[in-house]
Amino acid sequence: MKWYRIKALLLKYFYISINSVDRWFDIFYWPVIDIFVWGFASFYIKELSNFNLLSVLMGGVILWIFVWKSSQDIATFVLEDFWARNLYNLFSSPMRISEHVTSIVLFAFIRGLISFCFLILLAFLLYSFNIFALPILFIAAAVFILSLFGWVIGLFVVSLILRFGQRIQILAWSIVWVVQPFSCVFYPLSSIPSWAKPIAIFLPTTYVFENMRAFFLEGRAINYGELLYSFILTLFLMIIVGFFLYRSYAKAKQSGMLAKGD
Amino acid sequence: MDAIEVNNLVKSFREKNKLIKAVDNISFSVKKGEIFGLLGPNGAGKTTTLNILNGLISKDSGEIKILGLDPEQNELNWESVKNKINVSTAYYSLSEQLTIRQNLKVYAMLYNIKNIQEKIDQLLQMFELKSLDNRKVVQLSSGEKTRVSLCKGFINDPEVLFLDECTVGLDPDIAEKTREIIRDYQEQKGTTIIFTSHYMYEVEELCNRIAFMNNGRIIKIDTAGNFKKLIKKTSIELTIKENYPALMKIMKERNIDILSTGTNTVVFEVSSSTDQLYKLMNMIFKAGVKISDMHMNKPTLEDIFIQFARKKQRVR
């Protein structure tokens, strides 16, 4: 891998972001809507039950941003090259697939970080919610695990796009929302139906949100053993997706997908 | 050493459970500094061949060597080869949300070019895009996009350049200038160019040698001049001022193939050898036939192209 090529691609994604209003929208608009919806919902729940869920819901919204942004940005940036029929030029350059992936992953992370910071500020201003009430080590671990898991989803979608083309592009926006209900972002694992539990237990995200909730609601200490397990699980998924991506790239070269770009 | 060597290259695609051979056991080599044309009808296998050579499609079997390296051997070889080659096509755009300058900067960085701004300015000047440099690619006309793609193709001063239908969509004036640029650039830098085009005159004008492809196979490789010799007849159209019957009598006596006749015109075919034409014209003048106009239609590469495309058989 050559850093100057990764830098070139990072610059490309930066230019796309500053040149396109949609890309600004992505970073701020939908996350802000989430902050309002869940903030107001927590007020209503408090009114009904005198139970304060604000910190749990806000923590969920703010941390989920890394899974959401990472997965969606990775798939969308690759799709954008498909739409512009630009894969032809990119892949005929000396760029390696690993450099392509690294640059997209890094850029998606940066965009996620911008959304994260913005939401932290907004949640503080609107609801006096301070995410830093959580231990810094937990926040760092959560950001890392959730981003890594977002990359797993994003790269899985990219692998599918390389195999099946743009006809499965809807997955770029939808797959993360299929994963969310099973990740126990806003409710505990114990509250979901028994058929859904095995799926939730398999997802690394569940352990992050379970720990966050336990900390906020019960004042329980963070179980770093669970986070380590979650990290290993994500790493395992990443290795599988990495292999799948590599095979899909080879398949795309074989089928002529990169040259056709559709 | 040849810049490009291709031996027994085969590539098939599966379409609706049918295996289609896009490239069927082709072999050719391109000398350093040569402009080599790939010519053939749609689906002949030209673009697939180019895409295998620039690493976008993997081959089924056969051997390719670019600048002495077998790129398929390992990733490092591909990287080394791709640093020295480039491709330009009218059919694939650069990033549409980026301006021309931003796009070229990204590609200059990908190829690790020094003095990026200077290089970009030089290319924009060359392809008359300077005034549009801050315009997004999505806002450009197809001809302008084609010129941007050419700028990208030249950004790393490639040793081998693949130009796939690179003048499609250009107006005649710009297309002519583009051919001039390609020719001048090739002369200055000694770049090896593989060129595909649907415009026969363009291939004839630029290429040292041409490979005719059809149904995934190379039918023949030769110079444009030698290809034209394959069509042995030249058609001649005469407009007669006086003594039309005498002309027709000579035609009949000499067994000349008459293609069409009008009230005072005749179109006929003679052997392309100047000798036969000279003798015939001599007889016509001696018989007192007065000619007011004469058109000679020499065989063009297009005639050969049509002939080969229709034959669909190997003559090699």
Side-chain angles (χ1 to χ4, degrees), chain A residues 98-115:
Chain A
S98 54
E99 291 159 353
H100 194 213
V101 168
T102 308
S103 62
I104 295 181
V105 157
L106 276 177
F107 201 74
F109 180 71
I110 293 166
R111 281 169 53 92
L113 212 57
I114 295 171
S115 291

Side-chain angles (χ1 to χ4, degrees), chain A residues 16 128 133 136 181 185:
Chain A
I16 290 175
S128 304
I136 289 292
V185 180

Side-chain angles (χ1 to χ4, degrees), chain B residues 140-311:
Chain B
L140 302 176
S141 70
S142 59
E144 287 161 351
K145 281 182 186 172
T146 303
R147 281 186 278 157
V148 177
S149 171
L150 281 162
C151 286
K152 195 277 302 181
F154 285 95
I155 197 109
N156 60 329
D157 288 325
E159 287 180 45
V160 176
L161 180 59
F162 301 106
L163 298 175
D164 189 14
E165 315 264 344
C166 66
T167 56
V168 166
L170 296 181
D171 63 54
D173 178 43
I174 296 282
E176 175 55 34
K177 277 183 190 157
T178 302
R179 284 195 291 277
E180 258 171 49
I181 291 168
I182 294 169
R183 220 179 1 245
D184 291 350
Y185 186 86
Q186 195 278 335
E187 275 170 18
Q188 271 176 38
K189 310 257 177 178
T191 312
T192 308
I193 297 175
I194 296 197
F195 190 86
T196 77
S197 172
H198 276 135
Y199 305 131
M200 303 299 146
Y201 61 90
E202 200 167 77
V203 176
E204 194 174 341
E205 190 186 317
L206 282 175
C207 299
N208 304 105
R209 285 188 306 145
I210 298 158
F212 261 105
M213 289 189 79
N214 202 5
N215 289 338
R217 292 173 175 176
I218 289 181
I219 296 186
K220 193 171 174 62
I221 301 175
D222 215 327
T223 60
N226 283 342
F227 267 116
K228 286 200 283 187
K229 283 182 193 160
L230 291 174
I231 288 192
K232 304 208 182 307
K233 301 237 168 162
T234 300
S235 82
I236 294 173
E237 183 182 351
L238 296 179
T239 307
I240 308 302
K241 205 172 168 189
E242 266 176 45
N243 218 351
Y244 189 76
L247 173 77
M248 296 312 281
K249 197 180 160 202
I250 293 167
M251 295 282 169
K252 205 174 172 186
E253 278 170 11
R254 304 279 301 177
N255 264 337
I256 302 290
D257 287 337
I258 295 175
L259 301 177
S260 67
T261 53
T263 46
N264 61 342
T265 59
V266 61
V267 183
F268 59 94
E269 268 188 344
V270 288
S271 156
S272 292
S273 81
T274 47
D275 195 36
Q276 198 203 353
L277 183 60
Y278 174 77
K279 279 179 188 165
L280 180 70
M281 293 311 287
N282 217 4
M283 283 177 77
I284 292 170
F285 289 129
K286 275 186 181 164
V289 178
K290 286 196 176 162
I291 297 167
S292 60
D293 199 7
M294 179 175 169
H295 277 285
M296 188 190 248
N297 298 315
K298 288 202 158 194
T300 63
L301 210 50
E302 193 146 0
D303 299 319
I304 319 283
F305 176 81
I306 292 166
Q307 184 178 304
F308 276 130
R310 287 186 183 159
K311 260 190 186 168

